[in-house]
Amino acid sequence: MNYFRSYHQYAPGWASDSWKATAFLAVFLLLVAFTIFVMPEILAFLLATFIMWAGILLLIVAFKMRSLQKHRHYSTSQVIWF
């Protein structure tokens, strides 16, 4: 019984090429892991970069929320979409 063949027969077109994205992600992660293994100081740089971007994005969200709170007092019937 070959269940994969019966499933693959009804799979959408994008699902048949999804292995390429998975393989690309796997190769990318292996390269990053190897680079960190060879040069551990890069791990500190990557973590610092991630934390910095997270802080920047949280500040943007905080100021957007502040702006929405100011506008909420003027108009209570308006729906705001992000």
Side-chain angles (χ1 to χ4, degrees), residues 14-82:
W14 59 266
S16 62
D17 290 336
S18 64
W19 71 270
K20 293 177 186 175
T22 305
F24 176 76
L25 180 62
V27 170
F28 174 74
L29 289 174
L30 287 172
L31 288 174
V32 169
F34 180 73
T35 305
I36 290 172
F37 182 71
V38 172
M39 296 179 283
E41 63 272 5
I42 288 184
L43 179 61
F45 176 75
L46 289 174
L47 281 173
T49 303
F50 174 76
I51 292 170
M52 182 182 70
W53 279 108
I56 290 170
L57 290 175
L58 281 175
L59 276 176
I60 291 171
V61 168
F63 284 118
K64 182 70 174 177
M65 290 173 63
R66 178 179 170 217
S67 171
L68 291 174
Q69 283 181 346
K70 284 183 180 180
H71 291 295
R72 189 181 71 185
H73 293 295
Y74 298 121
S75 173
T76 57
S77 62
Q78 182 180 8
V79 176
I80 299 175
W81 296 91
F82 284 99

